[in-house]
Amino acid sequence: MWTFATPLAFLFLPLPFVVLRFARADRRSGGAIRVPGTIVGSGGEAPATASATGGRKIFAWVAWVALVAALAGPQIVLPVQALPTTGRDLFLALDLSGSMERTDFSMDGATRRRLDVVRKIGSDFVRRRAGDRVGLAAFADRAYVAAEPSYDVEAVAEALDALAIGLVGRSTAIGEGLGLALRRLADAPGKSRVVVLLSDGANNAGAATPKDVARLAKELGVRVHTIAMGPRDTTEITGYDPDVVDAETLKAIADASGGQFFRVRTTEDLQAAIASIDEIEPTRTLAPPANAWRELWPWPAGLALLAAAATAIGGRRFS
């Protein structure tokens, strides 16, 4: 469908006629000497012919009309389907402690590190979140933002794929990771704000305690879905064991904020947990169709430039 961005520009089309109609010729007589036409005709260059003058006028009018058409901003309206939107801000907070290097999960028929499994399943999850504004934080000794909240889920997924152990230490500061996610979501514009928190350990670093931060999440209206990853819980052992996950604390965080808790011991458990979160936080809410415009003004503008150049060249040739 054709349209014009500024159709009022066409009011300028009759301007040359107005100028020619009302402009007064210069009637002042100068001190020029009248020279017979025979002498003038004997000069160097021949005078311009009628056809040449007519050609210059045609080029001048083409330049003017094309210029006005360019100013009117011709464009084609292309209706396109808008991206799915949810009005949701979703933030992932992932454990990047040393225990994520343990090779006790399997994927594609091979034993893999916990981090490799999380990166693969997590990046697939992010890519399916079209319509959400997604951010990513990682935590170990301290927390940092790996990807600012964005609708560009592909960029966030690539940031998740690039996570590596040791970037921020090897301990587990669950409270710091959750607190950082809440700070990013505190002023988020979305109607729904969600954190997905995954950890395979117990909080042993940072000044913020996970349960205190969970209460803050409730005050802010942020739901926190927690994933406890690992074969054993802190309640299943006696004495010290660094390879356990504090499932009890992670469940308390989810309960306090109105989220869901998932206990993950295998790759299949993690896939099921992510699928459940997809169902809890649906993504496919189609927005109304949007309009895109293909601008066409460069074409008449280019024609105007060529016609003006032809007029100028013709004028110098026959002057």
Side-chain angles (χ1 to χ4, degrees), residues 23 31 53 68-69 72 90 95 104 131 191 223 231 239 266 281-282 286 301:
T53 303
V68 172
L90 188 146
D95 192 337
D104 54 0
K191 297 179 181 178
R223 289 190 306 280
T266 65
E281 308 291 347
L286 294 179

Side-chain angles (χ1 to χ4, degrees), residues 76-315:
I76 297 178
V77 180
L78 304 173
V80 296
Q81 182 63 50
L83 289 175
T85 58
T86 63
R88 180 186 300 108
D89 289 280
L90 188 146
F91 214 97
L92 274 66
L94 303 181
D95 192 337
L96 209 59
S97 60
S99 57
M100 291 291 286
E101 285 187 315
R102 297 189 183 278
T103 55
D104 54 0
F105 275 66
S106 61
M107 187 171 60
D108 299 329
T111 302
R112 299 294 183 88
R113 297 185 306 165
R114 297 176 184 179
L115 178 61
D116 295 333
V117 174
V118 169
R119 287 194 301 196
K120 176 62 172 65
I121 296 176
S123 60
D124 290 343
F125 168 73
V126 169
R127 290 185 173 95
R128 293 195 301 270
R129 304 307 302 183
D132 288 348
R133 203 167 69 104
V134 183
L136 174 65
F139 59 90
D141 289 0
R142 59 187 183 278
Y144 78 100
V145 175
E148 292 289 350
S150 170
Y151 289 107
D152 187 354
V153 293
E154 182 61 33
V156 178
E158 290 176 0
L160 197 160
D161 284 331
L163 293 180
I165 303 295
L167 290 175
V168 283
R170 303 179 71 86
S171 299
T172 307
I174 296 175
E176 297 290 335
L178 179 56
L180 179 59
L182 293 179
R183 285 197 294 273
R184 285 296 190 273
L185 292 178
D187 299 321
K191 297 179 181 178
S192 176
R193 294 172 294 172
V194 178
V195 174
V196 177
L197 171 66
L198 181 146
S199 177
D200 72 337
N203 189 73
N204 56 19
T209 63
K211 292 182 180 180
D212 288 341
V213 181
R215 285 191 288 270
L216 175 61
K218 182 179 181 180
E219 293 175 5
L220 293 174
V222 178
R223 289 190 306 280
V224 183
H225 303 304
T226 58
I227 300 174
M229 184 175 183
R232 291 178 294 174
D233 295 352
T234 53
T235 56
E236 298 174 355
I237 64 165
T238 57
Y240 174 75
D241 187 342
D243 187 24
V244 292
V245 59
D246 190 354
E248 183 179 4
T249 296
L250 292 174
K251 185 176 186 306
I253 293 172
D255 291 342
S257 64
Q260 296 291 320
F261 166 75
F262 302 93
R263 183 66 180 90
V264 169
R265 301 177 189 271
T266 65
T267 302
E268 291 73 22
D269 289 343
L270 181 58
Q271 290 172 331
I274 294 299
S276 296
I277 294 173
D278 269 333
E279 293 179 1
I280 296 169
E281 308 291 347
T283 60
R284 296 296 176 185
T285 303
L286 294 179
N291 287 330
W293 289 269
R294 179 182 296 171
E295 300 293 342
L296 302 178
W297 65 265
W299 296 100
L303 177 61
L305 180 63
L306 291 175
T311 303
I313 293 173

Side-chain angles (χ1 to χ4, degrees), residues 6 11 17 23 55 100 173 202 206 229:
T6 54
L11 295 175
F17 290 105
M100 291 291 286
M229 184 175 183

